[in-house]
């Protein structure tokens, strides 16, 4: 793939799902993405745009938390970049919505839930 700053030759919409799940970052990002999509009404109800923004949200969280951990270790962090990342996260969250949405059930899902 060349340098770490180059884009892969081909985009894959399931790139988060294809991350090596042995890493703690991959597990955290995947779990957070799942939780966020559920809070937005479920993955199947989300437009491409909202799914795309959801991926950016979980990575902005990871970026911010990495910087916060550095501060906790006593390391220097660019406070301007941290503030910018936090403001970006807030903007993304406001765009997708801050309120939890219920997922629409199909009649079959509803009946299955009633039976159990």
């Amino acid at each position: 793939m060349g340098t770490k700053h180059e884009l892969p030759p081909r985009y894959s919409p399931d790139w988060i799902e294809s991350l090596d799940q042995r890493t703690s970052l991959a597990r955290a990002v995947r779990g957070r993405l799942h939780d966020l999509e559920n809070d937005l009404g479920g993955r199947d109800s989300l437009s491409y745009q909202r799914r795309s923004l959801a991926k950016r949200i979980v990575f902005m969280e990871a970026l911010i938390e990495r910087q916060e951990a550095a501060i906790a270790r006593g390391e220097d962090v660019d406070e301007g970049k941290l503030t910018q990342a936090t403001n970006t996260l807030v903007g993304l969250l406001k765009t997708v919505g801050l309120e939890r949405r219920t997922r629409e059930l199909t009649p079959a899902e509803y009946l299955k839930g009633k039976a159990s």
Side-chain angles (χ1 to χ4, degrees), residues 39-107:
D39 281 354
L40 295 174
R43 180 174 177 77
D44 293 339
S45 71
L46 299 178
S47 66
Y48 169 84
Q49 296 89 329
R50 285 191 191 273
R51 288 192 312 270
S52 179
L53 290 173
K55 291 175 185 177
R56 276 60 192 179
I57 287 168
V58 296
F59 270 98
M60 287 304 300
E61 282 182 325
L63 178 83
I64 291 166
E65 288 174 4
R66 185 176 63 196
Q67 292 176 355
E68 290 170 339
I71 291 171
R73 291 188 301 269
E75 298 172 13
D76 288 333
V77 170
D78 185 331
E79 293 174 15
K81 287 183 179 181
L82 177 57
T83 300
Q84 184 178 15
T86 302
N87 288 336
T88 299
L89 177 61
V90 169
L92 290 168
L93 289 168
K94 285 181 178 180
T95 300
V96 298
L98 298 173
E99 303 301 320
R100 181 177 278 172
R101 296 186 188 109
T102 57
R103 184 173 69 88
E104 294 284 329
L105 296 177
T106 65

